[in-house]
């Protein structure tokens, strides 16, 4: 994101020698997107980041769609997915299109390898657990409720504090950023935005590993996963500065915008990418007009597929929802509160709901593994 940050030791000018104690120089690397014009950082390594000794194709990554094209409201119980595996290599795809893929994993094993997604940015939402996101930019501690934004190409590793651990991943080929309308022409978040720069956490502690050996790197790229071996520890950065690094935003730092009457979903927006937006529904007071109906009215999101990921068991407008439920309300399908929830919301003063929303502008496909956890009768659940 466009917030300048620096850690460690840097030479006063770019592209000049940063000497080590023995008089030799550090190895500079430009890391960013969009070639030489996008957001970028300059890193100063102990050793060249290029000393790869071996490369091999590890596995293909294919998201296979549900063969049934019937358009309907759908509900998946992600809490019932098998648990276990690696935080980076055992992710289950649930929904996807060419702009975004939604995946989940409940890892129980630390990665020994280092991982980078060469296909896109990731928003990793921490549904359960805590730990440290390690990267060449330093340690970024994380906790439940964090959105970890890991931009494309950033080499990282999850060091989990505990199990159970559960991650919900939004993967996109585009650059994840704050909503345009919440940024002024200089990139600063404006007054009236539901969060500010103070709510963004950045790596604060740089770990410089001076180690020779065999270090495994797994890269997600077209064609699947590639494994390569580097002859030294990749987190050997003595200093860096710039605008490209992983960062965190906790859902509980979202400042909900409330109104006299029902406010539309865009007030809950957290981030945007190309072809999608994300939102956070957080505990908040309800509307204050004496006759207001806090639950949403039925609506058809023409040209939008709406995904809700429920993080609490109560959601003001739905029944039959459990922790980890994911609903898909596809393009143009009318949907709204379940029977009784619309009238029943009147007079209520606040909600404790917690949920993420992802709205995509192209239709989403359901990935085959989601069929095993589908509530097949969901689309009929409005009929009493
Ligand atoms: Fe909706």
């Amino acid at each position: 994101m466009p917030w300048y940050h620096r850690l460690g030791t840097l030479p006063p000018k770019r592209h000049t020698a940063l000497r080590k104690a023995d008089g030799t120089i550090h190895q500079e690397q430009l890391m960013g997107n969009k070639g030489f014009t996008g957001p970028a950082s300059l890193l100063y390594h102990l050793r060249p980041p290029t000393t790869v000794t071996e490369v091999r194709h590890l596995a293909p990554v294919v998201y296979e769609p549900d063969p049934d094209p019937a358009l309907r409201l759908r509900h998946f119980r992600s809490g019932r997915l098998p648990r276990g595996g690696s935080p980076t290599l055992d992710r289950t795809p649930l929904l996807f299109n060419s702009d975004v893929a939604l995946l989940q994993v409940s890892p129980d094993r630390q990665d020994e390898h280092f991982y980078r997604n060469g296909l896109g940015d990731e928003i990793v939402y921490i549904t359960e657990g805590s730990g440290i996101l390690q990267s060449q930019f330093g340690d970024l501690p994380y906790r439940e409720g964090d959105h970890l934004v890991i931009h494309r190409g950033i080499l990282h590793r999850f060091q989990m504090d505990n199990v159970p651990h559960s991650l919900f991943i939004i993967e996109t080929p585009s650059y994840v950023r704050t909503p345009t309308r919440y940024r002024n022409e200089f990139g600063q978040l404006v007054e009236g935005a539901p969060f500010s720069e103070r709510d963004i956490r950045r790596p604060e502690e740089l770990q410089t590993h001076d180690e020779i050996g065999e270090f495994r790197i797994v890269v997600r790229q077209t064609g699947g996963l590639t494994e390569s071996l580097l002859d030294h520890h990749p987190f050997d950065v003595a200093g860096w500065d710039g605008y490209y690094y992983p960062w965190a935003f906790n859902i509980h730092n979202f400042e909900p915008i409330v109104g006299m009457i029902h406010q539309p979903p865009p007030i809950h927006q957290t981030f945007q990418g190309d072809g999608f937006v994300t939102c956070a529904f957080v505990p908040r007071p309800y509307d204050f007009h004496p006759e207001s109906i806090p639950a949403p009215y039925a609506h058809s999101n023409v040209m939008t597929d709406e995904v809700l990921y429920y993080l609490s068991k109560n959601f003001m407008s739905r029944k039959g929802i459990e922790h980890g439920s994911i609903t898909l309300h596809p393009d143009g399908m009318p949907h709204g509160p379940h029977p009784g929830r619309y009238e029943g919301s009147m007079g209520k003063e606040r909600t404790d709901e917690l949920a993420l929303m992802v709205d995509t502008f192209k239709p989403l496909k359901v990935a085959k593994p989601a069929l095993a956890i589908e509530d097949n009768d969901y689309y009929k659940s409005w009929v009493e």
Side-chain angles (χ1 to χ4, degrees), residues 265 296-297 299-301 306 308 318 329 335-336 357 359:
Y297 35 82
H299 53 281
S300 306
N301 353 297
E306 177 192 289
L308 269 163
R318 302 264 179 278
H329 297 157
H335 60 275
M357 187 166 80
D359 272 7

Side-chain angles (χ1 to χ4, degrees), residues 179 181-182 190-196 199 249 253-257 266-270:
R181 68 179 186 286
Y182 290 145
V190 295
E191 287 293 316
F195 55 95
S196 79
D199 299 312
F249 171 71
N253 283 326
F254 189 85
E255 301 152 10
I257 297 167
I267 56 134
H268 302 285
Q269 192 182 346
T270 43

